[in-house]
């Protein structure tokens, strides 16, 4: 039972344009959401997060939007750079199951074309 | 400041064997969680260790067990290996179990033949 879903396995974007990565979840108890970036042969690296009490969080070129009614979140990267090419995982947690018990999506491979 | 380290990097075992994977948390962290990432999937939570005890567990059978040592390092043990256990095993550490910010190691790639 996949509680966090990333329906786009891959995404290609031109350098300088916006990258939008999407994530849907089914468990309404999730109250904290995170995005991780993963390069080959490395572990996931934390990118940005958002609490369910907010609908937007921004950090430099990265912005995460949360739509609780639609159970949907998205990661916007503006402008996209070739170094952003990686696999991006969406993850969620709840107080009920614990902050460290992250439920991950299957990932979206982002390719930024120079 | 060393990040999360894991050993070994790669491991090949045969069905029915047992394996032990090791993890050293990021300096200052006291909580370790283990995840299994099968090919093409996202990481799946196995269990979490804090104060040398298993605090939470995901949907994994008893063949998966662990240990945390007084220096906060941790081991993941898998008994009676079968083909489906082939995966990347990730260790993540945090300061306290209620901290959302986890730092991941590079993982151990286990292949079961």
């Amino acid at each position: 039972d996949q509680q966090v879903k990333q329906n786009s396995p891959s995404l290609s974007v031109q350098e300088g344009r916006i990258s939008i990565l999407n994530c849907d979840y089914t468990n309404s108890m999730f109250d904290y959401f995170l995005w991780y970036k993963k390069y080959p042969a490395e572990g996931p690296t934390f990118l940005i997060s958002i609490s369910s009490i907010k609908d937007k969080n921004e950090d430099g070129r990265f912005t995460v939007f949360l739509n609780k009614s639609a159970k949907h979140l998205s990661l916007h990267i503006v402008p996209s750079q070739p170094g952003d090419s990686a696999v991006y995982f969406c993850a969620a947690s709840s107080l009920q199951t614990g902050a460290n018990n992250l439920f991950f999506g299957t990932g979206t491979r982002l390719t930024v074309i120079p | 400041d060393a990040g999360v380290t894991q050993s070994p990097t790669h491991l090949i075992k045969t069905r029915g064997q047992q394996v032990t994977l090791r993890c050293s948390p990021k300096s200052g962290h006291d909580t370790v969680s283990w995840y299994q990432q099968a090919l093409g999937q996202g990481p799946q939570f196995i269990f979490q260790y804090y104060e040398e005890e298993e605090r939470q567990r995901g949907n994994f059978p008893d063949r998966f067990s662990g240990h945390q040592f007084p220096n906060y390092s941790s081991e993941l043990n898998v008994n009676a290996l079968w083909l489906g256990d082939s995966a990347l095993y990730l260790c993540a550490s945090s300061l306290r179990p209620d901290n959302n910010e986890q730092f991941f190691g590079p993982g151990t790639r286990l292949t079961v033949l």
Side-chain angles (χ1 to χ4, degrees), chain A residues 2 31-34 36 38 41-46 89 93-107, chain B residues 31 33 35 37 40-45 48 56-58 88 90 94 96-107:
Chain A
Q2 193 74 24
D31 55 18
Y32 200 80
F33 303 89
L34 309 92
Y36 281 85
K38 188 178 188 301
E42 295 183 12
T45 303
F46 170 76
F89 289 98
S93 67
S94 70
L95 273 177
Q96 184 183 46
T97 52
N100 277 185
N101 184 352
L102 293 178
F103 292 81
F104 281 86
T106 52
Chain B
T31 305
S33 298
Y35 291 80
Q37 185 179 9
Q41 302 295 314
Q44 268 196 293
F45 177 77
Q48 175 199 75
Q56 291 186 345
R57 190 177 184 92
L88 179 69
L90 294 162
S94 66
R96 298 190 61 78
D98 57 354
N99 191 329
N100 288 102
E101 190 173 7
Q102 292 185 74
F103 291 78
F104 283 82

Side-chain angles (χ1 to χ4, degrees), chain B residues 1-91:
Chain B
D1 178 21
V4 179
T5 59
Q6 293 185 243
S7 63
T9 307
H10 296 89
L11 206 48
I12 299 175
K13 292 285 188 178
T14 56
R15 280 174 293 176
Q17 283 190 310
Q18 178 264 347
V19 70
T20 297
L21 310 182
R22 294 176 176 83
C23 170
S24 290
K26 181 178 168 61
S27 178
H29 285 185
D30 56 9
T31 305
V32 173
S33 298
W34 287 91
Y35 291 80
Q36 180 195 66
Q37 185 179 9
L39 200 61
Q41 302 295 314
Q44 268 196 293
F45 177 77
I46 302 174
F47 43 51
Q48 175 199 75
Y49 275 84
Y50 174 67
E51 293 185 333
E52 301 179 47
E53 288 186 8
E54 181 182 300
R55 297 291 177 158
Q56 291 186 345
R57 190 177 184 92
N59 188 23
F60 279 81
D62 292 345
R63 297 188 298 110
F64 289 77
S65 64
H67 190 77
Q68 185 179 36
F69 299 94
N71 66 353
Y72 308 123
S73 67
S74 176
E75 285 181 351
L76 164 65
N77 301 293
V78 187
N79 293 323
L81 286 167
W82 66 297
L83 299 179
D85 295 329
S86 296
L88 179 69
Y89 288 85
L90 294 162
C91 171

